[in-house]
Amino acid sequence: MVETLTMVFSLRFSSLSLPPHNTITLYTLPHVPNHRLRSTSNVSPPSSTLLIKHSLCPCAAPTQQQHLLVPEEEEEEEELKCINESPSLENDSLPPGLRRECMPRHVAVIMDGNRRWARLRDLHVGSGYEAGVKSLKTLIELCCKWGIRVLTVFAFSTDNWFRPKVEVEFLMSLFEGGVKDEMGSSLRENIRISVIGDISKLPKSLEELIINVEESTKNNSQFQLIVAVSYSGRYDLVQACQRIAMKVKDGIIELTDVNESLIEQELETNCTDFPYPDLLIRTSGELRISNFMLWQLAYTELFFTQSLWPDFGEADFLEALQSFQQRWRRYGE
């Protein structure tokens, strides 16, 4: 005979402190002894133990839910405590107002406004890019400090090749010097560096340096910096289609094998475990994504700021993260 579980509904739901718009769903399941807090994302609720389902925060994906099985009445207080304390990961390194459980794993940035910053100060354009490099270093430090796993920056697009030759040459020189400077610190700080884009168009010395730094840091796992150089979202999709077409031609796969998962595997962002940015930041007040990561940004939260990239600092980044954590990520709902 199935044991009858007396469900006590005076669970003091008000003490759960759920984020705004959160919901609680109750199911009845069969009594199962000695269950503990665990993920049951692939389990369909049968009948007669109390199942409480709630999303930890609005910015979490709908599948990122925590389920609680309460098999015995005397465990009620202990299990409710587990719910209340579930988001209590260490927040010591985070500024006030940020929640660890709602931090984005992957942040992408369109670093715009370097030239305008220089012109507003009657400086050479190169001064704007040099100031932008300092902002990037600051952002990398903050990402490492606050537990963000991946940062992708749009450093040079395929359209930028049409800029004045002297500006392009300066950017290539600046990028090469930056890679050399960062290689040693990346090895010390367990940072992986990856470059996406058509690097065959870059100066030979820079192309070889990129290959070297990617190989040297490939086993680093604390943080990943992805630099998009000679990159565009359209280029990324075209090269993925070309690779897939070649596999079909060579008989490696069938035409019917082509699906979203296969395309994802052929995109340049296959270099990371988190290919889809949770948050995209664009500086300088422009309200567009400018041909950047067109496939990967399908459900990314967008944040636009008036700050020019060289002026973008901790306060701006904090504002972007706070905005992200206040959003409900519905994924097409």
Side-chain angles (χ1 to χ4, degrees), residues 178-198:
V179 172
K180 289 178 180 178
D181 291 342
E182 291 300 316
M183 184 181 296
S185 61
S186 295
L187 290 171
R188 290 192 303 272
E189 297 170 13
N190 200 21
I191 296 174
R192 180 184 177 186
I193 298 178
S194 303
V195 177
I196 59 176
D198 186 4

Side-chain angles (χ1 to χ4, degrees), residues 4 125-126 137 167 188-189 196 210 234 261 264 294 312:
T4 300
V125 169
K137 290 182 178 180
E167 183 178 339
R188 290 192 303 272
E189 297 170 13
I196 59 176
I210 288 171
R234 290 177 178 175
S261 177
E264 177 187 326
L294 297 178
F312 188 88

Side-chain angles (χ1 to χ4, degrees), residues 17-57:
S17 301
L18 298 178
H21 309 299
N22 229 330
T23 57
I24 296 177
T25 305
L26 300 181
Y27 301 98
T28 53
L29 305 176
H31 171 67
V32 183
N34 299 323
H35 276 235
R36 284 297 180 215
L37 192 65
R38 61 190 176 96
S39 173
T40 58
S41 57
N42 296 321
V43 177
S44 299
S47 61
S48 123
T49 293
L50 181 61
L51 172 63
I52 300 177
K53 178 178 72 174
H54 90 279
S55 180
L56 289 179
C57 60

Side-chain angles (χ1 to χ4, degrees), residues 11-157:
L11 296 181
R12 297 194 303 278
F13 288 126
S14 61
S15 68
L16 295 181
S17 301
L18 298 178
H21 309 299
N22 229 330
T23 57
I24 296 177
T25 305
L26 300 181
Y27 301 98
T28 53
L29 305 176
H31 171 67
V32 183
N34 299 323
H35 276 235
R36 284 297 180 215
L37 192 65
R38 61 190 176 96
S39 173
T40 58
S41 57
N42 296 321
V43 177
S44 299
S47 61
S48 123
T49 293
L50 181 61
L51 172 63
I52 300 177
K53 178 178 72 174
H54 90 279
S55 180
L56 289 179
C57 60
C59 56
T63 55
Q64 295 173 341
Q65 296 169 330
Q66 191 170 59
H67 293 184
L68 175 65
L69 291 175
V70 189
E72 297 187 17
E73 186 174 332
E74 61 267 20
E75 295 178 351
E76 177 185 316
E77 291 295 329
E78 181 181 350
E79 300 292 14
L80 283 175
K81 182 180 179 182
C82 288
I83 292 181
N84 287 324
E85 296 180 352
S86 59
S88 63
L89 297 171
E90 290 297 326
N91 288 300
D92 293 344
S93 63
L94 291 179
L98 289 185
R99 291 171 290 167
R100 174 72 66 192
E101 72 277 5
C102 289
M103 290 295 285
R105 295 174 301 180
H106 183 170
V107 174
V109 180
I110 300 176
M111 306 180 294
D112 195 18
N114 298 288
R115 294 190 295 177
R116 272 173 280 174
W117 184 90
R119 288 167 181 161
L120 286 171
R121 291 160 176 78
D122 293 323
L123 300 173
H124 186 272
V125 169
S127 300
Y129 290 117
E130 290 172 340
V133 170
K134 295 179 181 179
S135 293
L136 176 57
K137 290 182 178 180
T138 298
L139 187 60
I140 292 172
E141 291 174 0
L142 292 174
C143 286
C144 292
K145 181 180 178 180
W146 294 347
I148 293 168
R149 299 294 305 279
V150 181
L151 172 67
T152 299
V153 294
F154 202 5
F156 191 86
S157 76

Side-chain angles (χ1 to χ4, degrees), residues 298-309:
Y299 287 105
T300 298
E301 299 295 324
L302 308 180
F303 181 85
F304 301 98
T305 176
Q306 294 292 325
S307 297
L308 301 176
W309 174 244

